[in-house]
C-alpha cells in the first residue's frame, strides 16, 4: 500500500516510543461524544475541506503512532486514508465501500484506537461528501484521540497549533457562504442552496506533514499530479473507477489534473 511514513514522524522517531497511555473499558465513549467545545469553536472557523483534511491527518497520526506496535498490518487503514486524501481533490474519487469496526470489544490498547478510526471512516467520508455539520465533530474526536495516543503531548500540541493557525488564515469559511448570523449554510438548511466545496482549494497531505511546507508558494497542481500518479484504483477498493466518476457527474478527466 503506497502511503509512505511522513518525514515528520521519521525525524521524531515517533512510532518507536513506548506506549504509555492507558486504555480501559469504556474509554472509547470519550472519543465518540462531544466534550470539547473550545476545540470545536476553533475548528468551525475552517472551511469544510480544511476541517476534513485535519481529520484525515489526525487519523494518519494515530496510524503511524501505533503501526509498529500492532500485531496486525495496517494495509486497510492506509488504503482508505489514501482515498480520503484524494477526495480533497474531488469527493467523487471515493467509493461507497464501508469499513467494519469492532470498537468496544475489549481489544488491546494498540488495536482499540485503530478500531475507532475504522469506525469513523464511514462518517468522515459521508459527512464530507454531503457537507454535514458533523464534519466538525468528527474532527474534534479524531484530534483528541491522536493527542491521547501520542503520549508526547508537547510534540502533538506544537504540530496542531501550527496547523490550526495556518489553516485558520488560509482556509477560512467563505463569507458568501454564511447566513446573516454568521453560520454555515449547510445542505440540511432548506432555505439555502447546497454549499459547494468544489470552490475550496485543494489541500495536499504535505501541508500537514512536511516540515517547512509553504502552501502559498507550493505548486498545487504538481502535488495533485504526484498524488494521482501514486494510486491505482484497481488495487484500492475505496477509489472510484473513471467510469463511475463520470456516471456521478465528475467534472473533468478522472485521475488527471483538471483546471
Amino acid at each position: 500500500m503506497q502511503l509512505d511514513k511522513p518525514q515528520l514522524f521519521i525525524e521524531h522517531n515517533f512510532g518507536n516510543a513506548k506506549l504509555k497511555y492507558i486504555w480501559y473499558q469504556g474509554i472509547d465513549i470519550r472519543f465518540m461524544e462531544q466534550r470539547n467545545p473550545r476545540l470545536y469553536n476553533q475548528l468551525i472557523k475552517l472551511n469544510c475541506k480544511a476541517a476534513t483534511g485535519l481529520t484525515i491527518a489526525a487519523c494518519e497520526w494515530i496510524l503511524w503512532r501505533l503501526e509498529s506496535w500492532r500485531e496486525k498490518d495496517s494495509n486497510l487503514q492506509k488504503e482508505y486514508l489514501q482515498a480520503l486524501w484524494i477526495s480533497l481533490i474531488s469527493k467523487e474519487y471515493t467509493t461507497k465501500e464501508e469499513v467494519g469496526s469492532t470498537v468496544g470489544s475489549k481489544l488491546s490498547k494498540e488495536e482499540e484506537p485503530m478500531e475507532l478510526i475504522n469506525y469513523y471512516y464511514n462518517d468522515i467520508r459521508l459527512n464530507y461528501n454531503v457537507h454535514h455539520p458533523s464534519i466538525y465533530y468528527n474532527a474534534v474526536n479524531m484530534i483528541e484521540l491522536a493527542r491521547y495516543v501520542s503520549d508526547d503531548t508537547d510534540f502533538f500540541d506544537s504540530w496542531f497549533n501550527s496547523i490550526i493557525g495556518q489553516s485558520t488564515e488560509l482556509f477560512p469559511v467563505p463569507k458568501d457562504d454564511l447566513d446573516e448570523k454568521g453560520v454555515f449554510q449547510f445542505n440540511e438548511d432548506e432555505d439555502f442552496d447546497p454549499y459547494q466545496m468544489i470552490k475550496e482549494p485543494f489541500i495536499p497531505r504535505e501541508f500537514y506533514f512536511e516540515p517547512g511546507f509553504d502552501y502559498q508558494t507550493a505548486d498545487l497542481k504538481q502535488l495533485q499530479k504526484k498524488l494521482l500518479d501514486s494510486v491505482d484504483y484497481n488495487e484500492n477498493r475505496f477509489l472510484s473507477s473513471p467510469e463511475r466518476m463520470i456516471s456521478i457527474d465528475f467534472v473533468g478527466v478522472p485521475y488527471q489534473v483538471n483546471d
Side-chain angles (χ1 to χ4, degrees):
M1 184 63 245
Q2 188 66 35
L3 191 71
D4 296 332
K5 181 181 289 190
Q7 191 64 30
L8 175 71
F9 300 134
I10 296 173
E11 291 178 359
H12 195 77
N13 198 27
F14 180 64
N16 294 325
K18 185 178 179 180
L19 302 180
K20 299 178 181 179
Y21 65 87
I22 298 171
W23 200 270
Y24 51 86
Q25 185 176 358
I27 191 176
D28 50 298
I29 301 300
R30 168 178 170 179
F31 305 107
M32 300 172 76
E33 295 180 347
Q34 308 310 319
R35 301 186 180 186
N36 193 333
R38 180 176 175 274
L39 177 56
Y40 176 83
N41 288 333
Q42 284 182 286
L43 294 169
I44 199 69
K45 296 176 182 178
L46 308 183
N47 67 38
C48 289
K49 188 171 287 186
T52 301
L54 192 45
T55 309
I56 302 166
C59 291
E60 189 169 342
W61 185 285
I62 297 162
L63 166 70
W64 295 119
R65 176 66 178 115
L66 301 179
E67 186 189 40
S68 63
W69 296 93
R70 303 182 69 202
E71 294 182 1
K72 300 179 181 179
D73 66 49
S74 301
N75 290 339
L76 171 66
Q77 291 79 23
K78 291 177 181 179
E79 205 173 342
Y80 64 64
L81 287 173
Q82 184 185 59
L84 286 174
W85 284 121
I86 293 176
S87 75
L88 295 185
I89 298 175
S90 182
K91 64 184 181 180
E92 289 85 3
Y93 276 108
T94 53
T95 65
K96 295 182 178 180
E97 183 80 19
E98 295 190 349
V99 175
S101 173
T102 57
V103 66
S105 298
K106 301 180 182 179
L107 301 176
S108 67
K109 65 189 291 183
E110 297 85 8
E111 292 303 326
E112 280 286 352
M114 298 301 289
E115 288 300 323
L116 271 168
I117 67 171
N118 287 346
Y119 170 84
Y120 269 104
Y121 167 74
N122 304 314
D123 274 0
I124 294 166
R125 179 189 62 78
L126 182 60
N127 290 331
Y128 172 62
N129 285 356
V130 302
H131 181 247
H132 193 277
S134 292
I135 287 170
Y136 296 95
Y137 295 124
N138 295 156
V140 168
N141 289 334
M142 290 297 92
I143 290 166
E144 290 210 301
L145 179 59
R147 186 177 192 273
Y148 186 75
V149 302
S150 292
D151 289 321
D152 184 350
T153 54
D154 289 342
F155 176 47
F156 180 86
D157 290 347
S158 175
W159 171 80
F160 174 76
N161 290 334
S162 174
I163 294 300
I164 193 71
Q166 293 179 69
S167 298
T168 303
E169 180 178 344
L170 292 168
F171 315 119
V173 178
K175 292 182 180 179
D176 291 344
D177 295 306
L178 301 175
D179 64 16
E180 68 277 3
K181 296 180 181 179
V183 177
F184 250 144
Q185 301 177 21
F186 284 106
N187 284 358
E188 64 180 8
D189 297 331
E190 295 180 0
D191 294 334
F192 298 108
D193 293 330
Y195 180 76
Q196 297 297 319
M197 279 182 290
I198 195 170
K199 295 183 294 185
E200 299 174 350
F202 168 62
I203 308 173
R205 180 173 175 246
E206 288 83 354
F207 171 74
Y208 299 95
F209 294 134
E210 186 176 295
F213 182 83
D214 187 342
Y215 183 86
Q216 293 180 304
T217 61
D219 187 338
L220 298 182
K221 287 189 176 181
Q222 184 58 36
L223 290 170
Q224 282 190 50
K225 184 177 186 305
K226 175 185 173 183
L227 179 58
L228 292 170
D229 287 349
S230 72
V231 302
D232 183 346
Y233 62 85
N234 290 308
E235 296 182 358
N236 187 331
R237 76 198 91 169
F238 301 99
L239 286 174
S240 295
S241 68
E243 293 78 15
R244 178 182 181 274
M245 293 177 67
I246 292 170
S247 74
I248 55 176
D249 299 325
F250 174 78
V251 178
V253 180
Y255 295 96
Q256 293 188 25
V257 178
N258 297 283
D259 294 327

